[in-house]
Amino acid sequence: MPFSEFELVPDLHRAIKAMGFSAPMPIQTRAIPPGLEGRDVLGSAQTGSGKTVAFGLPLLNKLLQSKAHDRPGSKPIVRALIMVPTRELAAQVETCIRDLARFSPVQVALIIGGVSFHNQVQALRKGAEIVVATPGRLLDHYRQRTLELKHAQTVVLDEADRMLDMGFMPDVRRIMQLLPRER
């Protein structure tokens, strides 16, 4: 099955081609269709198997379809949150999502500890609609009122098992309470 069989907006098909992908990996073949339908997806696959693309394409497709209905000049808001357990993984996920969104107007912000808080605030103010974050730094931004999560339509817990193993469950619970019930 080629990527062209997925009903994606043209910007995403163009990005897939530019990234050199020819055919979806097994996790993508199984996760993308229910993701495109807006259903919850729980997936497990080895590192390097294409999980980020498996959740990134449906997420971006939904955002791009809803952007088509936005009022002209409306201010971009955080519509999707991707939580990850480590800075390194967050950087990898952000790069992949940014590559997938390269031909679209969707902006992505990386929110992690150990780097400039100010630069992250600037990225959020520029209109990031997707935030890739570690739980602790995300809560720091929320407490400082530099980001709102009340409009997030999609939430991804990437490597949720590792987040739980690393003791992030209390932070994840707090964050989930800040999000809309319908997502």
Side-chain angles (χ1 to χ4, degrees):
M1 162 193 273
F3 277 104
S4 61
E5 289 190 25
F6 296 126
E7 293 185 32
L8 301 168
V9 297
D11 289 343
L12 295 178
H13 282 295
R14 189 172 163 206
I16 290 165
K17 186 175 181 178
M19 293 171 78
F21 296 141
S22 55
M25 303 289 278
I27 187 73
Q28 296 162 349
T29 300
R30 296 196 58 193
I32 292 172
L36 289 172
E37 292 171 7
R39 297 185 1 226
D40 290 343
V41 177
L42 177 64
S44 178
Q46 292 180 330
T47 300
S49 62
K51 290 185 299 284
T52 304
V53 172
F55 66 73
L57 284 174
L59 184 157
L60 283 161
N61 198 66
K62 180 179 180 178
L63 286 178
L64 290 167
Q65 287 175 334
S66 69
K67 273 184 99 50
H69 302 293
D70 284 352
R71 293 184 323 265
S74 63
K75 180 184 174 199
I77 54 175
V78 175
R79 296 182 191 217
L81 171 62
I82 303 169
M83 281 192 288
V84 297
T86 67
R87 293 183 298 199
E88 296 78 14
L89 180 60
Q92 292 171 10
V93 169
E94 186 265 348
T95 298
C96 182
I97 298 296
R98 190 179 301 276
D99 286 348
L100 289 170
R102 74 174 75 180
F103 298 113
S104 78
V106 173
Q107 296 294 311
V108 184
L110 178 63
I111 305 298
I112 58 175
V115 296
S116 169
F117 194 88
H118 175 75
N119 290 348
Q120 293 172 2
V121 170
Q122 295 304 102
L124 291 167
R125 286 186 180 154
K126 285 182 185 173
E129 294 172 272
I130 299 174
V131 169
V132 180
T134 53
R137 182 52 71 101
L138 181 71
L139 285 171
D140 290 344
H141 276 276
Y142 183 80
R143 286 184 200 110
Q144 294 295 318
R145 300 177 197 261
T146 56
L147 113 128
E148 286 186 5
L149 298 172
K150 65 184 179 184
H151 299 288
Q153 303 163 346
T154 304
V155 179
V156 175
L157 301 177
D158 194 9
E159 302 223 6
D161 55 339
R162 278 186 65 197
M163 272 195 281
L164 300 178
D165 289 345
M166 294 172 71
F168 286 120
M169 190 58 169
D171 286 349
V172 171
R173 279 194 178 118
R174 266 186 232 112
I175 293 164
M176 297 304 280
Q177 290 173 350
L178 302 173
L179 297 163
R181 283 198 178 279
E182 294 293 318
R183 57 185 181 273

